[in-house]
Amino acid sequence: MTEAWDGLLLGAHLATLQGDAGYGAIEDGALGWRDGRLVFVGRRADLPGAPERLADMVVDAGGGWITPGLVDCHTHLVFAGDRAAEFEQRLQGASYEEIARSGGGIVSTVRAVREADEDTLLAQSLPRARALLCDGATTLEVKSGYGLELEGERRMLRAARRIAQSLGVEVRTTFLGAHALPPEYAGRADDYIGAVCDWLPRLHEEGLVDAVDAFAERIGFSIAQTRRVFEVARDLGLAVKLHADQLSDGGGAALAAEFGALSADHVEHTSPAGVAAMARSGTVAVLLPGAFHVLRETTLPPIAAFRAQGVAMAVATDCNPGTSPLLSLRQAMQLACTHFRLTPEEALRGATVNGARALGLDDRGVLRAGLRADFVHWDVARPAGLCYWLGGSLARAVYAGGQRLC
């Protein structure tokens, strides 16, 4: 007899997402796993033996649907404090740019992060990560970018690594030193970018960096400055991502594509030329409807162009204290359907298959034998229910690497 599986789940339908279209649905499905990997994904009727002889643990799901674990490929969830006061300011008419230029915005969170030690950052960030996990996210990307000094950035990245250890969820860390200009570098953006380029190799050597990001925008950094950071990342063999074309068409998506970036994120103002460049490079468009919603933006990402040119679209929370205080990737999926007119299937693929692709991960995002045993059992009558319900708790069980986490 072959080695017994660690677990076998029966009594639910499977949305495998295998193939390029559709949910890859299997009714009355079965899901088996061993050593953190899926070993069987198919119909219960096709199991190669009696369930109790196949697995050490047999779970009767009792209905509902199983999907791959969700992949939140863009978050800033490690931070201190909050910016609820700025939320009030925006409702009273202040723009995001006005708040940023008056000392609020990202720089206000920088002050809080610089005052917090690593344990404090972890303590404040763990509840946010746990909320994302228990609503179905089994892989998280976490960016730095609120330290804007070497030690602050290091503390953030270390705290992100510790989230993975504490919760059993995989965390991919992204260095975002080029997020905003800190006050001590006022009027010296080029000098600050030089410092960022000096920090990156040191943090990478310490094993704290999986990818590199920048904020290429008129209130962020120029294309030329962003290029300097990306060139250092390329020399180190690190993948790049980019906050691109959120507030204006600054050519960010095209720059991301030039460097073969994993993703260009936000992309509300990306031009047809930028879309074409992303299509050629295989760069994923990461849609962030939480920020679009909170900022009450009106310019939609070029969804039709992405579809027409085959640009993969991911969906993420952009969880952050200022513009997207969103603690549910499933809610981000709903907002993507409501605001951007994605279909529920596109939104689910965006939070699984394409979210994994935006992180350069090919071992998850689909239910298929050989891939990681990351999956969620949902209390819904059909997959579209994940995008239909506003709020609520729909995840009955969340598994990462075959271990039940929620």
Side-chain angles (χ1 to χ4, degrees), residues 17-25 345 349:
L17 301 182
Q18 294 189 43
D20 295 329
Y23 291 111
E345 179 202 331
R349 285 182 174 273

Side-chain angles (χ1 to χ4, degrees), residues 208-241:
L208 295 174
V209 181
D210 296 318
V212 177
D213 197 349
F215 185 33
E217 190 54 75
R218 59 196 177 204
I219 61 170
F221 296 97
S222 70
I223 293 297
Q225 290 162 344
T226 302
R227 183 184 297 278
R228 289 173 60 191
V229 178
F230 279 8
E231 286 172 347
V232 174
R234 182 171 58 191
D235 291 344
L236 294 170
L238 288 167
V240 299
K241 303 162 66 67

Side-chain angles (χ1 to χ4, degrees), residues 15 79 102 225:
F79 59 85
S102 65
Q225 290 162 344

Side-chain angles (χ1 to χ4, degrees), residues 34-394:
R34 182 176 59 226
D35 297 330
R37 298 276 168 175
L38 296 172
V39 293
F40 183 88
V41 179
R43 298 189 308 157
R44 178 173 182 162
D46 294 333
L47 282 168
E52 62 274 11
R53 294 178 61 85
L54 290 171
D56 293 332
M57 175 183 67
V58 179
V59 178
D60 184 351
W65 281 80
I66 308 293
T67 73
L70 305 185
V71 178
D72 198 346
C73 64
H74 182 130
T75 86
H76 304 255
L77 69 84
V78 171
F79 59 85
D82 69 31
R83 280 154 51 194
E86 292 178 16
F87 177 65
E88 285 189 300
Q89 286 180 274
R90 286 196 300 273
L91 292 175
Q92 292 165 0
S95 73
Y96 178 64
E97 292 183 66
E98 288 169 345
I99 292 170
R101 294 190 188 284
S102 65
I106 293 167
V107 174
S108 66
T109 299
V110 171
R111 290 192 293 269
V113 167
R114 288 183 174 183
E115 294 170 359
D117 61 20
E118 186 180 317
D119 288 341
T120 299
L121 284 175
L122 179 65
Q124 293 194 27
S125 302
L126 273 174
R128 295 187 282 267
R130 194 174 288 113
L132 290 168
L133 170 62
C134 289
D135 203 36
T138 55
T139 302
L140 303 174
E141 186 258 15
V142 178
K143 302 179 192 296
S144 66
Y146 292 133
L148 306 187
E149 61 183 2
L150 178 58
E151 288 305 317
E153 294 291 294
R154 180 182 280 130
R155 286 197 304 276
M156 291 188 68
L157 294 167
R158 284 178 174 168
R161 291 286 196 227
R162 289 174 64 186
I163 287 172
Q165 298 164 5
S166 298
L167 299 184
V169 62
E170 181 159 352
V171 173
R172 305 293 288 181
T173 54
T174 299
F175 174 62
L176 182 57
H179 194 195
L181 189 65
E184 63 269 25
Y185 279 89
R188 298 188 296 127
D190 285 337
D191 290 343
Y192 178 67
I193 290 297
V196 168
C197 291
D198 288 340
W199 302 338
L200 177 52
R202 298 168 66 179
L203 296 171
H204 175 50
E205 187 177 358
E206 295 170 18
L208 295 174
V209 181
D210 296 318
V212 177
D213 197 349
F215 185 33
E217 190 54 75
R218 59 196 177 204
I219 61 170
F221 296 97
S222 70
I223 293 297
Q225 290 162 344
T226 302
R227 183 184 297 278
R228 289 173 60 191
V229 178
F230 279 8
E231 286 172 347
V232 174
R234 182 171 58 191
D235 291 344
L236 294 170
L238 288 167
V240 299
K241 303 162 66 67
L242 186 63
H243 284 62
D245 307 333
Q246 178 185 9
L247 305 174
S248 63
D249 177 17
L255 178 69
E258 177 188 334
F259 279 83
L262 291 174
S263 68
D265 302 26
H266 287 289
V267 294
E268 283 96 328
H269 293 265
T270 295
S271 67
V275 174
M278 291 174 65
R280 289 192 298 270
S281 67
T283 297
V284 176
V286 177
L287 307 179
L288 303 173
F292 182 94
H293 177 79
V294 170
L295 293 175
R296 295 182 293 168
E297 295 288 354
T298 56
T299 300
L300 297 171
I303 302 297
F306 288 145
R307 287 174 178 147
Q309 299 203 41
V311 175
M313 293 181 288
V315 176
T317 61
D318 191 19
C319 173
N320 76 72
T323 62
S324 189
L326 179 56
L327 295 176
S328 166
L329 183 48
R330 188 177 61 78
Q331 184 66 68
M333 293 161 56
Q334 202 285 331
L335 291 173
C337 292
T338 300
H339 288 307
F340 299 160
R341 306 297 193 269
L342 262 61
T343 68
E345 179 202 331
E346 286 176 323
L348 180 57
R349 285 182 174 273
T352 52
V353 182
N354 293 334
R357 183 175 169 184
L359 296 179
L361 301 173
D362 59 8
D363 63 347
R364 69 200 70 193
V366 177
L367 298 180
R368 186 170 64 236
L371 300 190
R372 277 179 56 92
D374 292 355
F375 57 91
V376 185
H377 178 207
W378 301 98
D379 189 16
V380 292
R382 54 186 53 82
L386 298 176
C387 297
Y388 167 69
W389 291 103
L390 287 162
S393 179
L394 300 184

